Amino acid sequence: MTRHLIDRGDGASVELFQARPESETPVGAILFVHGNQGGRLIGAKEAVDAGALVRFCSGLKITAAAVSQPGFGGSDGPADFCGPDTQRAIVAALSFLREQPAVDPSRIVLYGNSRGAVASAMVATQAPDLRAVILRSGVYDLKAAYETGSKGLRWAIEQEAGLTSDAFLARSALYHAQRMRAETLLLHGRLDERAPVAQAERFSDALSEAGVPVTLHVFECGHDIPREYAQMAQRSFLQRMFDPIVTFH
């Protein structure tokens, strides 16, 4: 496991953790983008502590990495609620991975959770060379989420993003779906109290209309999708993205 500080492109630092397989042959890579962390603000270390990087690296024989959003972990802030700086941080992390000798740049999967799904969806509209995108418990029309959201969500959007039309548009992948190219897997809870399932349903329809291969899995759960549910849905998807594959646990 290695930790890197990379340049966002504007002098700000972006924290990235990376686990690499032993093989010297270039293989695929997956980049995780965390969600809100209840005030802990540990960023990408969440994936390290949970064992996700080691698990995906050893199970799929790929490079597994996680990036800290601005204002989280060791990445420079302030946070901008999935806005341009957050998107630039993710783009910088993807660029870093593409340049690694052990990574096949044509087989990189971007995996965003919750807040990370909002930003990852926007990045996917700007990165046509991604192999695939997995978006878990995200919102894709931020203005609609703000209008129906909890007091805490509304406060965070007000403080970090502002309420202008441009601010909402820059964080709402639904309105940029025609620019996406990567195959997309959407994971969502039917009882999600933070991100209504209609958000995923509308985004899935928009991607399908734009000709993007998309699969939506809706689970009988809330915002936090149990790991076993997600694993069941994403196992065959990831094996296909990283074919040839080994057994994933």
Side-chain angles (χ1 to χ4, degrees):
M1 186 72 60
T2 55
R3 175 181 180 268
H4 304 274
L5 287 177
I6 60 180
D7 192 324
R8 193 169 68 194
D10 56 4
S13 292
V14 175
E15 179 182 57
L16 180 140
F17 288 91
Q18 179 181 227
R20 292 177 294 184
E22 295 181 1
S23 172
E24 295 182 2
T25 303
V27 294
I30 189 166
L31 177 66
F32 292 97
V33 187
H34 62 85
N36 191 34
Q37 298 175 323
R40 296 174 68 212
L41 304 181
I42 61 173
K45 195 170 184 298
E46 178 181 65
V48 177
D49 293 346
L53 299 192
V54 170
R55 189 166 65 249
F56 278 77
C57 176
S58 62
L60 287 164
K61 304 303 181 191
I62 60 169
T63 290
V67 61
S68 295
Q69 298 180 47
F72 291 78
S75 289
D76 290 341
D80 68 346
F81 205 92
C82 314
D85 285 346
T86 298
Q87 294 167 37
R88 277 192 284 268
I90 298 170
V91 169
L94 290 171
S95 296
F96 176 85
L97 289 176
R98 290 188 192 99
E99 295 167 0
Q100 301 306 299
V103 172
D104 177 350
S106 69
R107 291 198 295 162
I108 297 179
V109 174
L110 180 59
Y111 192 141
N113 177 52
S114 188
R115 179 181 180 124
V118 179
S120 294
M122 284 300 303
V123 169
T125 71
Q126 307 161 36
D129 59 339
L130 286 171
R131 179 67 181 92
V133 187
I134 300 177
L135 304 171
R136 177 171 171 168
S137 304
V139 297
Y140 312 103
D141 181 343
L142 194 65
K143 185 175 182 181
Y146 175 80
E147 291 172 345
T148 62
S150 66
K151 183 178 179 180
L153 175 63
R154 291 167 64 91
W155 183 88
I157 293 172
E158 290 168 5
Q159 295 298 308
E160 296 183 26
L163 303 180
T164 67
S165 296
D166 286 347
F168 285 125
L169 186 61
R171 297 162 172 83
S172 299
L174 177 68
Y175 301 106
H176 307 278
Q178 71 280 1
R179 291 164 48 196
M180 283 187 68
R181 296 292 181 271
E183 184 167 350
T184 302
L185 177 64
L186 299 171
L187 308 177
H188 218 96
R190 190 183 308 278
L191 308 176
D192 194 323
E193 67 286 0
R194 303 183 201 172
V197 67
Q199 288 264 349
E201 293 169 341
R202 289 178 63 204
F203 192 43
S204 178
D205 289 344
L207 290 174
S208 183
E209 290 174 8
V212 178
V214 57
T215 303
L216 169 62
H217 285 274
V218 178
F219 308 101
E220 298 302 321
C221 63
H223 187 70
D224 295 322
I225 299 173
R227 185 171 128 190
E228 60 270 23
Y229 289 11
Q231 283 181 332
M232 179 177 61
Q234 68 198 24
R235 180 181 287 112
S236 61
F237 182 85
L238 285 170
Q239 288 175 343
R240 183 162 54 84
M241 294 305 108
F242 294 122
D243 183 65
I245 54 89
V246 295
T247 302
F248 175 65
H249 303 291

